[in-house]
C-alpha cells in the first residue's frame, strides 16, 4: 500500500462491522494509595457501550487489545490524545516488573510497528510533545510527556481493539511503551486526531465517578448514548480555530466557560477573566479525567484559600504542603468538623448553570495516611497557566462529552454501586 494511503487508513478508522457498541466491563475501586487493578471482561451486552472504570489517582478501564485479545488496564484521560499500552517482548519476559500490566506483541497476530517512512514519523508533528524519530530497527519512536511530569516512550504501532467476536475495530494507531513512569497504559480521549474517540469515530461518551469512601465503590463508563442524559445540565464547550496560535492554549482539550466559584452562600470575588483564555491561551479552563486534583491559576487559588482560612483556618495543618501544589490540608481527625464548616462548593458556568462539586467532608481527599486536603492545587506549580477540573471534583456525577453538539453534560448521581 502507498504510504499516503496507509496514513489515510490509520486516521480514517471505523468500528467494524458496526459503529455501535454494546459491551460492559466490571469495575473495582481501590484507595488513593493503591496502584493495583483487578478487572475482568463481562459477558453482558447492552444497546450501548458501557465500561465500568476505577481509579487510584486515576480512572481505569480494562480494554481488550490484540488478536487474541489481551486485557489492558488503561487510564481514561480526557486531557491527552495518544493512547498507549505497556509493551514487552520475548527477550524481556523474565525481567519485566510484575506490578505492571504488560502487553506482549508476540502473542498478537494483528500487531504491527509503524515504519519510519510514514508521515506521522516526520519531525515536528504537533501531536507529540517531542519530535518523533527513527530508531535503529527502522520503527517510529515517540516520547509523550504530561503536565504532572510523568512520561511514556516507545514505538508507534497499529493494533485492534477486540471487544467481542462480533465487534472489533480496525487497526488503531497507539503507542507501545517500553519505558514509562506509570504502571498502566493510557486511553487518550481528547479531541485530537490521534485520540481513541477520534480514530474510532465516537461522538459521545460519559462516566460516573464513585466517591472515595464506602464499601461498594463502583462506577460506569459509557461509549455512546447515556440513558440518564435527560436529567443532565449542559454547558457549551469553547472551541478555537485551528489557525489560532496561542502558546498556552490546548485546542484539543474540553474547554468550559467557567464564571466563578461559590462556597456555601458566598460567591468568591474572582474575576471571570481568570477562567477564560487570554490571547496567549493562559487561563483556559479544562475538564480532565486524567488529573486527580483540580488546579487553579494563582488569583483563583488565592481567593479559595482566603475563604478556607476564614472558615477553617485554625484547623489547617501548619507548614504542610502536599506535592508542592496544595496547602489547604488537615489532620484526618478533624476532617468531619472541617467539612461541616465549609459546606458545599459549586463551580459556576455560563447561562446560570451551577455544578455541585463537593459537599462537606467530601471536598477533602486523603493524600497520605492521616492527612486530607481540599482537592485543589496551584497550576503554576505544574508549569502551566490553566485551570483544570480534576476527577476529585467529578465524584458522584455523570459527566458526558457530547462532541456532536459541542457540549459537556453534568448530572447528579450516586455513582458508587452502579450496575452495568
Amino acid at each position: 500500500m502507498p504510504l499516503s494511503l496507509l496514513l489515510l487508513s490509520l486516521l480514517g478508522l471505523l468500528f467494524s462491522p458496526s459503529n455501535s457498541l454494546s459491551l460492559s466491563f466490571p469495575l473495582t475501586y481501590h484507595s488513593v494509595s493503591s496502584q493495583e487493578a483487578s478487572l475482568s471482561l463481562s459477558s453482558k451486552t447492552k444497546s450501548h457501550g458501557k465500561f465500568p472504570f476505577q481509579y487510584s489517582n486515576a480512572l481505569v478501564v480494562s480494554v481488550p487489545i490484540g488478536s487474541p485479545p489481551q486485557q489492558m488496564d488503561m487510564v481514561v484521560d480526557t486531557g491527552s490524545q495518544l493512547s498507549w499500552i505497556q509493551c514487552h517482548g520475548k527477550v524481556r519476559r523474565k525481567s519485566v516488573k510484575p506490578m505492571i500490566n504488560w502487553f506482549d506483541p508476540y502473542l498478537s497476530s494483528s500487531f504491527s510497528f509503524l515504519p519510519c517512512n510514514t508521515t506521522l514519523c516526520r519531525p515536528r508533528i504537533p501531536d507529540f510533545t517531542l519530535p518523533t524519530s527513527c530508531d535503529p530497527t527502522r520503527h517510529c519512536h515517540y516520547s509523550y510527556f504530561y503536565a504532572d511530569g510523568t512520561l511514556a516512550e516507545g514505538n508507534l504501532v497499529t493494533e485492534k481493539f477486540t471487544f467481542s467476536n462480533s465487534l472489533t475495530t480496525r487497526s488503531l494507531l497507539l503507542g507501545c511503551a517500553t519505558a514509562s513512569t506509570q504502571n498502566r497504559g493510557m486511553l487518550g480521549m481528547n479531541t485530537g486526531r490521534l485520540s481513541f474517540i477520534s480514530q474510532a469515530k465516537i461522538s459521545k461518551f460519559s462516566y460516573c465517578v464513585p466517591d472515595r469512601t464506602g464499601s461498594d465503590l463502583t462506577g460506569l463508563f459509557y461509549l455512546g448514548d447515556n440513558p440518564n442524559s435527560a436529567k443532565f445540565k449542559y454547558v457549551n464547550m469553547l472551541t478555537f480555530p485551528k489557525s489560532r496560535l496561542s502558546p498556552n492554549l490546548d485546542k484539543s482539550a474540553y474547554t468550559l466557560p467557567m464564571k466563578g466559584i461559590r462556597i456555601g452562600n458566598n460567591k468568591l470575588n474572582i474575576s471571570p477573566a481568570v477562567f477564560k483564555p487570554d490571547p496567549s491561551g493562559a487561563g483556559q479552563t479544562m475538564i480532565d479525567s486524567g488529573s486527580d486534583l483540580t488546579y487553579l491559576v494563582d488569583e483563583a487559588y488565592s481567593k479559595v484559600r482566603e475563604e478556607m482560612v476564614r472558615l477553617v483556618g485554625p484547623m489547617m495543618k501548619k507548614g504542610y504542603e502536599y506535592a508542592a501544589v496544595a496547602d489547604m490540608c488537615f489532620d484526618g481527625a478533624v476532617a468531619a468538623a472541617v467539612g461541616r464548616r465549609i459546606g458545599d462548593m459549586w463551580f459556576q458556568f455560563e447561562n446560570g448553570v451551577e455544578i455541585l462539586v463537593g459537599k462537606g467532608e467530601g471536598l477533602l481527599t486523603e493524600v497520605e495516611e492521616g492527612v486530607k486536603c481540599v482537592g485543589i492545587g496551584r497550576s503554576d506549580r505544574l508549569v502551566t497557566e490553566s485551570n483544570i477540573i480534576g476527577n476529585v471534583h467529578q465524584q458522584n456525577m455523570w459527566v458526558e462529552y457530547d462532541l456532536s453538539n459541542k457540549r459537556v453534560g453534568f448530572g447528579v448521581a450516586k455513582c458508587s454501586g452502579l450496575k452495568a
Side-chain angles (χ1 to χ4, degrees):
M1 178 185 293
L3 293 179
S4 58
L5 293 181
L6 173 62
L7 178 61
L8 288 175
S9 70
L10 292 177
L11 299 181
L13 302 166
L14 297 172
F15 278 101
S16 174
S18 169
N19 286 336
S20 62
L21 294 176
S22 57
L23 296 171
S24 60
F25 291 75
L27 159 76
T28 304
Y29 172 72
H30 287 238
S31 65
V32 184
S33 61
S34 173
Q35 292 298 317
E36 292 308 296
S38 177
L39 300 170
S40 58
L41 180 65
S42 169
S43 60
K44 297 179 182 179
T45 59
K46 305 293 180 182
S47 60
H48 33 251
K50 292 197 293 188
F51 303 81
F53 60 82
Q54 76 172 126
Y55 60 72
S56 50
N57 291 329
L59 312 179
V60 178
V61 289
S62 183
V63 180
I65 298 177
S67 306
Q70 301 174 45
Q71 292 297 129
M72 300 304 301
D73 296 338
M74 303 181 76
V75 174
V76 178
D77 187 11
T78 61
S80 66
Q81 69 164 313
L82 182 69
S83 297
W84 56 268
I85 50 180
Q86 301 275 3
C87 282
H88 75 83
K90 291 180 179 178
V91 296
R92 299 188 58 204
R93 189 173 298 165
K94 293 182 179 179
S95 61
V96 296
K97 298 176 182 179
M99 303 296 286
I100 293 181
N101 181 212
W102 295 99
F103 180 85
D104 192 337
Y106 290 90
L107 299 181
S108 175
S109 61
S110 52
F111 180 90
S112 179
F113 286 102
L114 195 71
C116 287
N117 54 359
T118 59
T119 303
L120 282 177
C121 204
R122 294 175 181 172
R124 305 183 190 281
I125 295 295
D127 303 286
F128 303 93
T129 51
L130 288 176
T132 50
S133 61
C134 191
D135 71 11
T137 61
R138 302 296 300 168
H139 296 150
C140 188
H141 183 270
Y142 79 94
S143 298
Y144 210 95
F145 283 82
Y146 298 88
D148 63 357
T150 57
L151 64 92
E153 64 176 330
N155 293 113
L156 293 178
V157 302
T158 60
E159 183 57 285
K160 293 181 178 180
F161 287 62
T162 308
F163 292 102
S164 69
N165 291 334
S166 61
L167 184 59
T168 301
T169 66
R170 296 175 184 174
S171 291
L172 305 183
L173 182 79
L174 68 158
C176 182
T178 53
S180 75
T181 53
Q182 303 182 43
N183 62 354
R184 299 184 179 98
M186 192 74 66
L187 192 66
M189 298 290 282
N190 75 5
T191 64
R193 63 173 183 158
L194 301 183
S195 73
F196 174 76
I197 58 168
S198 294
Q199 292 191 67
K201 306 297 184 185
I202 296 171
S203 62
K204 186 183 295 183
F205 66 95
S206 55
Y207 50 71
C208 198
V209 180
D211 59 32
R212 302 187 176 196
T213 59
S215 58
D216 190 1
L217 308 176
T218 58
L220 283 177
F221 174 49
Y222 279 80
L223 293 177
D225 292 333
N226 188 314
N228 304 283
S229 61
K231 299 178 181 179
F232 293 172
K233 296 179 180 179
Y234 285 94
V235 177
N236 292 326
M237 292 188 292
L238 299 179
T239 57
F240 310 94
K242 293 181 179 179
S243 58
R244 177 171 174 176
L245 300 177
S246 303
N248 298 308
L249 185 69
D250 183 352
K251 288 180 282 189
S252 296
Y254 297 99
T255 305
L256 300 181
M258 193 161 166
K259 299 295 184 182
I261 298 174
R262 177 164 67 88
I263 299 177
N265 293 321
N266 186 19
K267 180 178 179 180
L268 303 186
N269 184 24
I270 306 172
S271 170
V274 308
F275 300 113
K276 183 179 179 180
D278 64 17
S280 75
Q284 179 180 14
T285 298
M286 303 169 280
I287 183 165
D288 182 4
S289 66
S291 175
D292 188 32
L293 301 183
T294 288
Y295 293 89
L296 297 176
V297 296
D298 189 64
E299 181 178 341
Y301 184 91
S302 296
K303 293 295 184 180
V304 172
R305 195 180 191 285
E306 285 177 10
E307 181 66 1
M308 292 298 169
V309 169
R310 186 182 74 84
L311 293 171
V312 292
M315 306 172 81
M316 281 187 177
K317 193 171 176 65
K318 300 297 187 282
Y320 181 88
E321 188 173 51
Y322 169 66
V325 297
D327 61 357
M328 295 179 284
C329 302
F330 310 87
D331 288 321
V334 301
V338 168
R340 288 192 296 270
R341 292 193 184 186
I342 296 174
D344 303 338
M345 181 181 290
W346 303 75
F347 287 173
Q348 301 173 318
F349 300 93
E350 65 176 9
N351 301 325
V353 174
E354 282 193 319
I355 304 300
L356 178 65
V357 297
K359 185 175 183 179
E361 191 176 353
L363 281 168
L364 308 180
T365 183
E366 188 173 49
V367 296
E368 62 176 275
E369 187 174 359
V371 179
K372 293 188 174 184
C373 299
V374 176
I376 299 177
R378 302 177 185 269
S379 64
D380 63 330
R381 304 291 177 86
L382 293 180
V383 196
T384 181
E385 298 181 69
S386 303
N387 303 291
I388 302 171
I389 302 173
N391 62 54
V392 68
H393 287 124
Q394 300 174 46
Q395 296 176 80
N396 287 322
M397 71 170 76
W398 285 108
V399 182
E400 180 184 79
Y401 299 79
D402 183 351
L403 283 76
S404 296
N405 296 299
K406 298 180 180 179
R407 62 183 186 173
V408 175
F410 299 92
V412 176
K414 182 61 178 176
C415 301
S416 299
L418 284 178
K419 304 301 181 183

